Amino acid sequence: MHVTVLKRTLTDVIKHGKSLYQHASVALLGSLPNRCQLCQQRIEQLDYQQWFPYQVLSGICQVCLVASLYQHEVCLGCGREIPLLQAYCGKCLKHTPMLVIAPCSYHQGLGPLIAAIKYQQQCAPLNAITQQLATRINQLIEHKLIRAPQVLIPVPLHPNRLRQRGFNQAWLIAHRLSKILNIPLDDTSLIRVVDTVPQADLSGKQRRENCHNAFKLSDSVSYQRVALIDDVVTTGTTVDEIARLFSQQYIYVQTWCLARAEAPGLLD
């Protein structure tokens, strides 16, 4: 009896201590110098913690963040604007391409921040944008437009590129999503076996050739549903190449990213 009471008391103390630590951490981080990388204004926390408890808004202010998100529903296939919340536009319904989930367009606001995360290691806004991605995912799951995957798989870097850059931004996003959504992260089943050249300045054909056979799956993959995690989807060449490997094993694939770069003219 006394042992049970003691265990409960210790558990309550630990929980209380953890709560105090979280509140103190938020208060401390929220008081540090923190400017928006888009408008350069000081970031005020306002009601951010009411929406996302124990999270500190950093790297981007609420005004710029909200303004950069999709202000309309978009097709999860091609990214074009659609009038209602649904998976595909009429054109994509004919061939149901792979679902790409993102909270915003790369070309309409957050592109510079996402590029800075990858190339300049300016990761301050990563948590806030990832939180918006998680919110978008939960919305789509709630409306039964997507099914939650069994596992999150970040698009891997080749070991040479990982040593050069020092981190894999896709892994950072997947790790954060794993904690928010309580979905396991698997960073061993998918391997990049070819050290491909950067794709930013390549044409569509060159991207396809660059990624061809650049990845392989381990022999122990036993999932039915996976979500590929990346920072941005442009032509979709990389995720399509990876999806082809999973499809050969009858594994359903969707892609989650911080932003998608739609085809030229699609948003005009």
Side-chain angles (χ1 to χ4, degrees):
M1 180 67 176
H2 293 295
V3 173
T4 301
V5 172
L6 179 59
K7 286 183 177 179
R8 288 177 180 173
T9 302
L10 288 174
T11 300
D12 290 341
V13 169
I14 291 171
K15 287 182 178 179
H16 184 62
K18 182 178 180 181
S19 178
L20 287 176
Y21 171 77
Q22 289 174 326
H23 281 292
S25 298
V26 168
L28 175 61
L29 292 173
S31 67
L32 295 176
N34 186 6
R35 291 192 176 277
C36 176
Q37 294 179 11
L38 290 179
C39 69
Q40 307 306 315
Q41 298 298 308
R42 176 180 172 83
I43 297 175
E44 301 294 344
Q45 296 302 309
L46 301 176
D47 57 351
Y48 191 73
Q49 276 86 39
Q50 294 181 22
W51 292 99
F52 308 112
Y54 307 122
Q55 301 301 314
V56 175
L57 184 62
S58 64
I60 181 170
C61 69
Q62 291 194 47
V63 174
C64 289
L65 179 60
V66 171
S68 299
L69 300 176
Y70 284 125
Q71 306 298 309
H72 48 73
E73 299 302 335
V74 296
C75 172
L76 304 183
C78 66
R80 75 173 66 246
E81 180 178 350
I82 53 179
L84 300 173
L85 178 61
Q86 57 191 46
Y88 293 116
C89 64
K91 185 176 182 180
C92 287
L93 274 173
K94 298 178 181 179
H95 57 98
T96 59
M98 179 172 54
L99 299 174
V100 177
I101 316 301
C104 63
S105 168
Y106 186 82
H107 298 301
Q108 295 185 334
L110 295 184
L113 296 191
I114 295 172
I117 291 171
K118 179 187 294 189
Y119 299 115
Q120 301 172 23
Q121 300 185 3
Q122 295 184 14
C123 295
L126 188 143
N127 280 346
I129 305 173
T130 303
Q131 183 69 66
Q132 295 303 315
L133 171 57
T135 299
R136 175 65 168 161
I137 291 163
N138 280 329
Q139 177 196 32
L140 295 172
I141 291 175
E142 180 182 350
H143 285 82
K144 303 186 186 311
L145 294 179
I146 65 172
R147 292 185 64 190
Q150 296 165 300
V151 70
L152 308 181
I153 298 182
V155 174
L157 291 177
H158 189 274
N160 293 342
R161 186 72 59 81
L162 184 59
R163 283 192 295 269
Q164 179 184 19
R165 186 176 298 169
F167 70 101
N168 178 3
Q169 72 282 354
W171 188 94
L172 295 178
I173 298 164
H175 182 256
R176 181 70 186 134
L177 284 173
S178 178
K179 288 188 173 183
I180 298 173
L181 301 173
N182 195 30
I183 300 175
L185 184 156
D186 180 347
D187 57 5
T188 61
S189 293
L190 179 64
I191 305 165
R192 189 186 287 257
V193 294
V194 177
D195 189 6
T196 55
V197 300
Q199 302 210 123
D201 298 323
L202 300 183
S203 66
K205 180 180 179 181
Q206 290 171 327
R207 285 171 181 250
R208 289 189 291 273
E209 293 173 348
N210 192 40
C211 284
H212 185 59
N213 292 329
F215 302 90
K216 75 172 185 178
L217 294 178
S218 68
D219 297 329
S220 59
V221 179
S222 58
Y223 310 114
Q224 289 79 48
R225 302 184 311 279
V226 304
L228 294 178
I229 311 299
D230 210 352
D231 57 343
V232 60
V233 170
T234 49
T235 62
T237 304
T238 299
V239 293
D240 284 345
E241 177 67 18
I242 296 171
R244 180 181 62 82
L245 296 177
F246 282 109
S247 296
Q248 290 172 353
Q249 299 194 25
Y250 304 101
I251 300 171
Y252 176 77
V253 183
Q254 55 186 301
T255 296
W256 298 353
C257 56
L258 297 186
R260 69 180 303 166
E262 297 83 0
L266 192 68
L267 300 180
D268 294 344

